[in-house]
Amino acid sequence: RAGQGQCCKGNGTIVNVSCSSLPRAGEGNGPSRGPGGWCRSCRKKCLPPAARIATPRGDRAASTLRPGDLVWTMDRAGTRVAAPIIRMQTIAAEPSQTVLRISLEDGRVIRASEGHPALDGRSLVELAVGEQLDGSTVTSIDEVPLLGAATWDLLPAGDTGAYWADGVLVGSTLFDGPSER
């Protein structure tokens, strides 16, 4: 579980955002450091600060939410329920960081980092035009600049780790399984 100031390597190992345990660019396999020592993979799993998160009081920007705030999640039975945020993660963006802009046939558009999970566990970067995301067909996937100085993710209480971002049901990078409560 990565907390604020930490991130996950590709193999799931937690490291500090400084990525002091990672190899320098070009050395070894796995995540690498960018200019200034940024851990490249650590910043590729979350949402832009303006991502609209569904709450019982209406959509709110991810950057305005805090632990304890209620958000809509989905329980194991597939029912939409309100639950408090039990954990959040914010990671400073690296210069020129990008996110994916995924457009769906029903008009919804989500912006998220390439490694953010869909509800089925796939990273969003694994999606292709014509595939399904939250019950709609993906019509386009573009890489666009991240607007903001950080990325955000949250974990609602419950047994799925799911929540709605920009109207699309997604998973959480912070979810370790149904034991999260």
Side-chain angles (χ1 to χ4, degrees):
R1 288 184 251 210
Q4 188 165 344
Q6 296 181 319
C7 59
C8 297
K9 288 171 45 173
N11 66 4
T13 304
I14 305 300
V15 295
N16 291 327
V17 171
S18 68
C19 296
S20 58
S21 63
L22 294 179
R24 299 215 176 270
E27 295 177 5
N29 297 324
S32 64
R33 290 191 253 183
W38 299 106
C39 175
R40 292 175 193 247
S41 70
C42 304
R43 301 182 195 317
K44 304 291 186 185
K45 297 182 178 181
C46 297
L47 302 168
R52 305 301 296 171
I53 307 302
T55 80
R57 295 185 178 205
D59 290 353
R60 290 184 48 196
S63 61
T64 68
L65 294 169
R66 301 290 176 261
D69 289 348
L70 291 178
V71 297
W72 289 117
T73 185
M74 184 179 70
D75 66 16
R76 261 192 221 168
T79 304
R80 182 174 153 161
V81 296
I85 296 170
I86 59 173
R87 197 166 359 141
M88 291 196 70
Q89 175 176 278
T90 304
I91 299 177
E94 67 180 80
S96 303
Q97 186 168 333
T98 60
V99 293
L100 298 176
R101 181 183 182 277
I102 301 172
S103 299
L104 302 177
E105 190 172 57
D106 62 11
R108 291 178 292 164
V109 176
I110 183 172
R111 288 171 182 82
S113 297
E114 61 190 36
H116 198 86
L119 188 58
D120 64 9
R122 290 182 297 169
S123 295
L124 293 178
V125 74
E126 296 176 62
L127 293 173
V129 171
E131 291 185 338
Q132 294 288 300
L133 176 63
D134 191 25
S136 188
T137 302
V138 174
T139 58
S140 68
I141 302 172
D142 301 294
E143 195 172 345
V144 298
L146 170 69
L147 301 177
T151 59
W152 299 77
D153 199 8
L154 61 94
L155 178 62
D159 51 14
T160 65
Y163 62 94
W164 281 266
D166 295 329
V168 177
L169 186 61
V170 294
S172 172
T173 62
L174 305 174
F175 185 64
D176 290 333
S179 64
E180 297 286 353
R181 302 231 187 261

